[in-house]
């Protein structure tokens, strides 16, 4: 019996090691890194990160290993740098590790001492994700790994010495858009990032937090001499940690621009441009929708992101939205098959997205209900990341869609109602900006603290179901709205909820769902009084 148990244990161990054989790291080395880093996080993270709320600290302190995903890069002959989407493309780096900056990647991929300070180059990178499968951003824990470092030198870096390696926690030295009273857990942070224990904070004074802050995205980890910018950071299925999230498989590789120029007739190279001007027809007011899921990069674009878009698209069509009035922008090219991507535009076209939303909003008598579904990776200030089109790992102005830009596109929108269905992180930043705004009185933000199931929750919405009644089934209420009763006491297509006698299905489809024809006199009047908005 004992021999059988030993044999079963050996067989199980062999299977686990076989499963890790394809990993870029040796199992023993990765095991040492991951478990040491995990213990360090539980004991020290909240003492060093001043921006983490107490609730998140409590969650991390009680989090088991099985709830954490592991990402790592393999040491090579050349050093690597870690680049974050919210890094600044020029000037001093925005992230440090006790004085050691996260690296920046120049456009030509070549090493430059101003861009790659020596302390930003490391042998490898390790990342622990305490919320695997959830959309980014959310807090992740990043460690630099340096080989052949003495115990004394590792101690000066406040690192974890593992005989053969030194693990050093990387944190941001600037907290983005966070104003809070300086009060701590017995630690005060100086101007250079050094901590002093026992220093009394100044009470009753709100000032910019100069403490160290957590990282919210997986970095792009590249070799300092790699002009191709190949991502070296990969998720590893460690048997004692969480399984890797299910990525959306690439349907077809992206065709190089040079090949597209020679083969413009291929569907993978050429896509019909979005004709926004055809969206608003004369004498018609229609229901319109924009579905936006940026993705940022393949490594954080999961299957459920594409599934969410499909669920929401089906719900809109069931509620009378015509397919031509539903515009979907998703990730980059090649992630979904040609059959599935019909009518889907890449999220790389920021100006197209903004122009379409603005056009539908500005055109009089164009939209009755305007629906936006947002499901992109998000910075902690509410900025949505679209797609890393130039593969440099940094979200420049053409690759991010800020809250200010979205609100500018929706300001004074002439649609009868604008419904924002938000299924992404940090939606509270958008809610705060909407609250009390006189330019967005017809805008309702439909989101809450538990935003992860927005598409599934609204996917069951029936054409005759009142929005406010359906919303009452959720545990959270909208974060913001200008006029809740009048804007939500209708169906998605704008039909009244409590008509007497109740509207028949034929009356619903004729009078409210899809498009409604306008009287010629009303349209003529609107053309001669462009300053008067539809009511």
């Amino acid at each position: 019996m004992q021999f059988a148990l030993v044999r079963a244990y050996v067989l199980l161990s062999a299977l686990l090691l076989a499963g890790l054989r394809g990993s870029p790291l040796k199992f023993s080395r990765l095991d040492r890194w991951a478990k040491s880093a995990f213990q360090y996080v539980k004991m020290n993270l909240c003492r060093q990160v001043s921006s983490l709320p107490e609730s998140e600290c409590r969650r991390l302190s009680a989090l088991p290993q099985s709830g954490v995903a592991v990402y790592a890069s393999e040491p090579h002959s050349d050093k690597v740098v870690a680049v974050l989407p919210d890094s600044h493309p020029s000037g001093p780096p925005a992230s440090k590790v006790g004085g050691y900056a996260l690296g920046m990647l120049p456009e030509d991929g070549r090493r430059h001492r101003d861009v790659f300070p020596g302390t930003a180059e490391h042998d490898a990178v390790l990342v622990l994700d305490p919320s695997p499968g959830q959309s980014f951003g959310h807090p992740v824990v990043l460690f630099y790994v340096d080989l052949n470092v003495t115990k004394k030198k590792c101690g000066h870096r406040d690192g974890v010495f593992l005989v053969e390696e030194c693990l050093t926690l990387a944190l941001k030295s600037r907290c983005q858009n966070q104003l809070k009273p300086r009060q701590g857990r017995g630690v005060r942070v100086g101007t250079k990032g050094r901590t002093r224990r026992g220093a009394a904070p100044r009470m009753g004074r709100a000032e910019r937090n100069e403490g160290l802050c957590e990282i919210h995205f997986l970095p792009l980890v590249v070799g300092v001499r790699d002009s191709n910018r190949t991502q070296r950071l990969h998720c590893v299925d460690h048997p004692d940690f969480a399984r890797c999230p299910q990525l959306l498989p690439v349907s077809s590789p992206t065709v190089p621009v040079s090949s597209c120029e020679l083969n413009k007739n291929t569907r993978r190279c050429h896509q019909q441009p979005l004709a926004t001007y055809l969206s608003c027809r004369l004498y018609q007011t229609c229901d319109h929708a924009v579905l936006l899921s940026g993705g940022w990069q393949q490594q954080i674009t999961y299957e459920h992101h594409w599934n969410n878009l499909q669920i929401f698209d089906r719900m809109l069509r069931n509620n009378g939205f015509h397919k031509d009035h539903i515009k979907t922008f998703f990730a980059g090219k090649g992630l979904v098959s040609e059959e599935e991507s019909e009518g889907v535009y890449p999220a790389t076209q920021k100006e197209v997205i903004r122009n379409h939303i603005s056009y539908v909003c500005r055109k009089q008598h164009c939209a009755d209900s305007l629906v936006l579904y947002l499901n992109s990776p998000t910075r902690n200030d509410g900025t949505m990341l679209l797609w890393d089109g130039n593969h440099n790992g940094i979200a420049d102005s053409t690759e991010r869609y800020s809250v200010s830009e979205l609100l500018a596109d929706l300001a004074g929108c002439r649609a009868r109602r604008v419904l924002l269905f938000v299924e992404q992180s940090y939606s509270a930043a958008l809610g705060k900006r909407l609250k009390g705004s006189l330019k967005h009185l017809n805008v309702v933000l439909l989101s809450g603290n538990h935003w992860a199931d927005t598409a599934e929750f609204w996917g069951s919405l029936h054409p005759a179901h009142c929005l406010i009644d359906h919303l009452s089934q959720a545990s959270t209420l909208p974060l913001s709205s200008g006029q809740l009763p009048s804007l939500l006491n209708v169906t998605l297509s704008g039909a009244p909820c409590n008509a007497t006698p109740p509207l028949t299905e034929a009356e619903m489809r004729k009078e409210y769902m899809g498009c409604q024809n306008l009287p010629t006199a009303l349209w003529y009047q609107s053309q001669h009084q462009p300053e008067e908005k539809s009511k």
Side-chain angles (χ1 to χ4, degrees):
M1 182 67 178
Q2 186 176 4
F3 176 75
L5 290 174
V6 172
R7 209 175 147 189
Y9 177 79
V10 172
L11 179 61
L12 179 61
S13 301
L15 289 173
L16 290 175
L17 290 175
L20 289 165
R21 191 171 298 167
S23 167
L25 286 170
K26 293 181 180 179
F27 176 71
S28 58
R29 174 186 284 175
L30 174 66
D31 184 69
R32 182 168 63 249
W33 293 0
K35 291 182 177 178
S36 299
F38 177 75
Q39 291 302 320
Y40 181 88
V41 167
K42 290 177 73 74
M43 296 177 62
N44 298 287
L45 182 65
C46 285
R47 291 196 297 107
Q48 296 196 27
V49 181
S50 57
S51 59
L52 277 176
E54 292 291 345
S55 58
E56 183 68 10
C57 287
R58 288 194 297 270
R59 186 181 79 88
L60 291 176
S61 64
L63 194 66
Q65 280 190 175
S66 59
V68 178
V70 178
Y71 294 80
S73 67
E74 181 180 8
H76 285 77
S77 56
D78 60 332
K79 301 283 188 176
V80 297
V81 292
V83 185
L84 293 173
D86 46 2
S87 301
H88 198 276
S90 61
S95 302
K96 295 185 178 180
V97 45
Y100 301 107
L102 290 176
M104 316 301 293
L105 193 65
E107 287 299 319
D108 57 5
R110 293 176 298 180
R111 177 172 173 167
H112 191 285
R113 299 306 297 182
D114 292 337
V115 179
F116 291 127
T119 52
E121 302 171 8
H122 301 272
D123 292 300
V125 170
L126 174 74
V127 177
L128 301 183
D129 183 1
S131 306
Q134 288 189 15
S135 296
F136 287 89
H138 59 255
V140 298
V141 188
L142 188 153
F143 286 88
Y144 289 126
V145 182
D146 294 288
L147 308 178
N148 303 318
V149 177
T150 64
K151 183 176 182 180
K152 182 177 180 180
K153 189 174 182 180
C154 186
H156 288 162
R157 299 180 182 180
D158 292 329
V160 180
F161 186 67
L162 301 178
V163 181
E164 297 181 12
E165 308 96 0
C166 178
L167 269 61
T168 315
L169 179 66
L171 295 170
K172 286 187 176 183
S173 60
R174 253 193 339 238
C175 299
Q176 186 174 26
N177 292 342
Q178 289 186 359
L179 293 173
K180 56 189 295 186
R182 178 167 297 184
Q183 53 189 8
R185 306 175 180 94
V187 178
R188 184 178 178 181
V189 182
T191 57
K192 295 185 179 180
R194 294 188 297 268
T195 58
R196 297 184 314 185
R197 297 186 179 278
R202 298 182 181 181
M203 303 302 293
R205 177 184 175 187
E207 56 183 352
R208 183 170 298 279
N209 183 12
E210 296 178 354
L212 298 176
C213 312
E214 73 278 9
I215 292 168
H216 292 85
F217 295 94
L218 293 179
L220 173 64
V221 178
V222 296
V224 294
R225 291 184 294 272
D226 182 8
S227 60
N228 295 323
R229 302 166 182 167
T230 303
Q231 172 66 287
R232 294 190 181 179
L233 187 72
H234 299 286
C235 187
V236 183
D237 277 322
H238 190 293
D240 296 329
F241 287 81
R243 298 282 297 177
C244 291
Q246 190 67 38
L247 298 179
L248 182 67
V250 177
S251 175
S252 60
T254 303
V255 179
V257 175
S258 58
S259 300
C260 284
E261 291 174 352
L262 299 174
N263 302 282
K264 290 184 178 179
N265 292 328
T266 61
R267 290 188 63 184
R268 288 163 61 191
C269 294
H270 178 71
Q271 184 173 22
Q272 190 73 19
L274 176 60
T276 293
Y277 64 91
L278 297 177
S279 299
C280 303
R281 298 182 178 182
L282 298 179
Y283 313 115
Q284 274 191 343
T285 295
C286 304
D287 295 323
H288 290 265
V290 175
L291 313 185
L292 175 57
S293 184
W296 180 240
Q297 54 159 287
Q298 185 197 356
Q299 194 172 35
I300 61 174
T301 304
Y302 305 139
E303 281 190 347
H304 67 77
H305 292 130
W306 176 244
N307 293 336
N308 287 343
L309 290 178
Q310 293 178 307
I311 291 172
F312 214 85
D313 180 83
R314 284 195 298 268
M315 182 274 288
L316 291 173
R317 297 196 191 195
N318 291 338
N319 281 266
F321 284 65
H322 193 277
K323 66 176 183 177
D324 292 338
H325 295 148
I326 303 173
K327 306 303 181 186
T328 301
F329 299 90
F330 177 65
K333 293 182 179 179
L335 286 184
V336 293
S337 65
E338 293 181 358
E339 293 76 15
E340 290 182 305
S341 63
E342 183 179 0
V344 177
Y345 299 85
T348 53
Q349 306 178 51
K350 175 182 175 178
E351 289 305 312
V352 174
I353 298 170
R354 294 196 63 187
N355 288 340
H356 179 71
I357 294 175
S358 296
Y359 181 83
V360 173
C361 266
R362 303 293 175 264
K363 192 73 173 177
Q364 193 157 0
H365 300 307
C366 175
D368 186 53
S369 291
L370 173 59
V371 171
L372 272 66
Y373 171 73
L374 308 178
N375 187 208
S376 297
T378 316
R379 298 193 324 195
N380 60 349
D381 64 347
T383 298
M384 294 174 280
L385 302 187
L386 300 178
W387 190 256
D388 188 13
N390 57 9
H391 307 292
N392 72 344
I394 301 173
D396 59 38
S397 60
T398 65
E399 297 169 341
R400 61 179 186 261
Y401 194 4
S402 69
V403 171
S404 295
E405 290 171 325
L406 174 63
L407 293 182
D409 296 337
L410 295 176
C413 188
R414 296 186 174 190
R416 191 178 299 273
R417 67 197 63 82
V418 181
L419 306 174
L420 299 181
F421 295 86
V422 180
E423 189 164 5
Q424 58 195 25
S425 307
Y426 310 114
S427 59
L430 177 57
K432 290 178 181 177
R433 294 286 301 275
L434 280 174
K435 189 175 182 180
S437 173
L438 298 179
K439 296 181 179 180
H440 302 88
L441 296 178
N442 60 341
V443 179
V444 181
L445 176 62
L446 293 155
S447 180
N449 296 327
H450 305 287
W451 46 264
D453 300 318
T454 299
E456 289 191 9
F457 174 74
W458 289 100
S460 60
L461 183 67
H462 189 269
H465 205 174
C466 187
L467 291 174
I468 201 166
D469 292 339
H470 191 83
L471 191 63
S472 66
Q473 302 173 14
S475 58
T476 56
L477 293 175
L479 290 175
S480 175
S481 67
Q483 303 169 348
L484 265 179
S486 60
L487 293 174
L488 293 180
N489 198 26
V490 292
T491 67
L492 188 64
S493 58
C497 293
N498 302 309
T500 306
L503 297 173
T504 64
E505 184 175 347
E507 289 174 327
M508 284 277 293
R509 292 192 175 277
K510 180 181 178 181
E511 301 295 333
Y512 295 99
M513 297 177 67
C515 298
Q516 296 83 45
N517 294 323
L518 293 172
T520 305
L522 178 59
W523 178 85
Y524 181 84
Q525 182 184 10
S526 69
Q527 300 306 301
H528 288 76
Q529 296 178 350
E531 73 281 359
E532 182 182 349
K533 297 182 181 180
S534 59
K535 297 180 180 180

